Amino acid sequence: MMKKTELIKIYDPQQDAEGVRRAAELLRQGGLVAIPTETVYGLAADACNAEAVRAVYAAKGRPSDNPMIVHIADREMLPELVASAPPAAALLADAFWPGPLTMVLPRSQRVPLTTTGGLESVAVRMPSHPVARAVIRAAGVPLAAPSANRSGSPSPTTYRHCIDDLWGLVDAVVESDDCAVGVESTVVSLLGEVPQILRPGAVTPEDIRRVCGGVTVADAVLHLLPQDAAAPSPGMKYKHYAPAAALTLVAGSQSDYAAYVNGLYGERCRAGEDGGFYAMCFDEDVSLLQAPTISYGAAYDYASQAQNLFDVLRQLDKLEAAEVCVHAPEPEEIGLAVYNRLLRAAAFRVVKL
Ligand code: AMP
Ligand code: MG
């Protein structure tokens, strides 16, 4: 059933106070509102209202065992959501909240199993985005807010992406600026003895090690899990972020990448099969390539790669790309998060030169 979707303008929470009030009102009534955060746009609903959360799964087409992150505006909102928190939680909150870090902790009874995808743990984050914080505060409830895209498609980093995916399926989309980080938050589990990174993001393993003294990175971050393995983070088992084209990650130096892509493109041209072939590359690669190119940033500017990634993946669909050779980023700093997302978008097809 189609819904009437409102576009609510909030660039500045003070100047656009009426927009904040309207978004909060819809959320308190159990509505769904796409809101900006510093990572990606989130599709928000009252995290403690199971019916509202079920509507989020439905609007996204998200499998119901893929848990949601609960967003809070103040540290005081945390104790009611979790049954307990180890000392590392306070250390990490001091260091990285508000910001792009999500912590997985034992859930309290207040958080419905619908929100946690049936798990006895809950993922919690305090975003730094002023609009997200203003809306959470005005709603007065913690907000479940998975990425505001249809499940499986690239995450939304502009309000236009949310409109493309969710218009007619949600109550409102907040019109605001593009997201500064561009990839989803780092997810760290504090359920074991040593913090474990389940999903890399802008807060790096090294950042967490510095604060907690130790950290591990889940296998699934860089490797395809066997079909029957239990994923520590359910989201990692799904195909993700993928445009319609077949992507291949190509890892190697600038010259090796150019030689590989030019060779393959030459073959496709000779066979008359070059329609829809694209090189998704770095700025520095463009002049070396014969195939049509689309750049996602400078080779060593990992932050700009993260910022551009999902928009470029969406542009590939608009260009009707069919075969795409992506120059793999260095898996360093936030580049690890970019690499992790691209691996999934490429269904783990990697060519190492
Ligand atoms: P999204 O909301 O689309 O950014 O996805 C949130 C992701 O966080 C999920 O797909 C999970 O992989 C992870 N996550 C959320 N809650 C938990 C949890 N309780 N335990 C482990 N991973 C979680
Ligand atoms: Mg998502």
Side-chain angles (χ1 to χ4, degrees):
M1 195 190 68
M2 291 297 275
K3 278 193 170 189
K4 194 182 165 308
T5 304
E6 293 174 33
L7 190 63
I8 302 176
K9 207 179 273 202
I10 317 177
Y11 285 91
D12 176 308
Q14 267 91 49
Q15 277 174 22
D16 303 317
E18 174 51 27
V20 174
R21 191 204 59 74
R22 178 63 182 150
E25 177 177 63
L26 287 167
L27 288 163
R28 272 196 310 273
Q29 292 166 352
L32 311 188
V33 182
I35 60 168
T37 82
E38 70 277 23
T39 57
V40 302
Y41 273 72
L43 180 57
D46 178 348
C48 297
N49 177 340
E51 200 181 324
V53 171
R54 263 192 292 276
V56 173
Y57 283 104
K60 280 180 59 70
R62 182 177 174 107
S64 62
D65 65 347
N66 190 356
M68 304 201 175
I69 295 172
V70 178
H71 293 69
I72 60 177
D74 300 286
R75 282 276 275 276
E76 294 74 65
M77 282 176 127
L78 182 64
E80 64 189 82
L81 300 174
V82 301
S84 62
L91 294 175
L92 289 171
D94 287 343
F96 303 113
W97 276 4
L101 179 73
T102 295
M103 296 189 232
V104 175
L105 293 160
R107 131 191 117 94
S108 79
Q109 293 301 313
R110 246 209 97 196
V111 184
L113 285 168
T114 314
T115 306
T116 67
L119 296 174
E120 287 303 333
S121 56
V122 60
V124 187
R125 175 165 106 84
M126 190 197 295
S128 65
H129 197 294
V131 174
R133 298 170 66 74
V135 171
I136 300 168
R137 282 214 178 102
V141 292
L143 299 178
S147 49
N149 54 314
R150 289 280 297 168
S151 194
S153 78
S155 294
T157 53
T158 73
Y159 78 88
R160 291 171 300 277
H161 295 161
C162 303
I163 290 175
D164 287 346
D165 277 23
L166 298 175
W167 198 259
L169 296 171
V170 301
D171 296 287
V173 169
V174 171
E175 176 187 333
S176 194
D177 291 316
D178 298 352
C179 300
V181 176
V183 290
E184 305 87 341
S185 59
T186 304
V187 177
V188 64
S189 168
L190 300 182
L191 301 177
E193 242 158 55
V194 179
Q196 184 177 47
I197 294 188
L198 305 181
R199 177 175 76 183
V203 175
T204 66
E206 196 39 48
D207 290 333
I208 291 176
R209 188 197 317 282
R210 217 177 307 122
V211 170
C212 296
V215 69
T216 59
V217 177
D219 271 353
V221 167
L222 288 177
H223 304 283
L224 180 59
L225 288 176
Q227 280 286 295
D228 52 353
S233 172
M236 291 198 288
K237 72 185 179 207
Y238 297 108
K239 183 178 164 177
H240 237 127
Y241 318 116
L247 262 62
T248 304
L249 261 184
V250 182
S253 68
Q254 200 180 10
S255 55
D256 288 349
Y257 172 75
Y260 177 86
V261 174
N262 287 338
L264 190 62
Y265 182 62
E267 267 175 46
R268 295 289 184 267
C269 288
R270 283 189 294 280
E273 290 168 355
D274 54 310
F277 188 103
Y278 284 89
M280 178 172 156
C281 61
F282 301 127
D283 297 342
E284 296 88 334
D285 298 326
V286 171
S287 66
L288 301 177
L289 294 166
Q290 280 137 25
T293 59
I294 183 162
S295 171
Y296 70 110
Y300 291 97
D301 187 349
Y302 309 133
S304 82
Q305 292 162 23
Q307 223 172 40
N308 296 328
L309 175 70
F310 290 130
D311 186 61
V312 168
L313 291 177
R314 281 173 180 258
Q315 283 184 48
L316 286 169
D317 274 342
K318 297 227 161 91
L319 293 165
E320 296 184 18
E323 181 178 12
V324 179
C325 289
V326 185
H327 200 170
E330 295 295 329
E332 302 287 327
E333 300 166 32
I334 195 176
L336 178 66
V338 177
Y339 192 93
N340 165 274
R341 305 309 190 271
L342 280 168
L343 259 182
R344 280 158 180 79
F348 289 86
R349 271 186 304 273
V350 182
V351 174
K352 292 211 163 91
L353 300 175

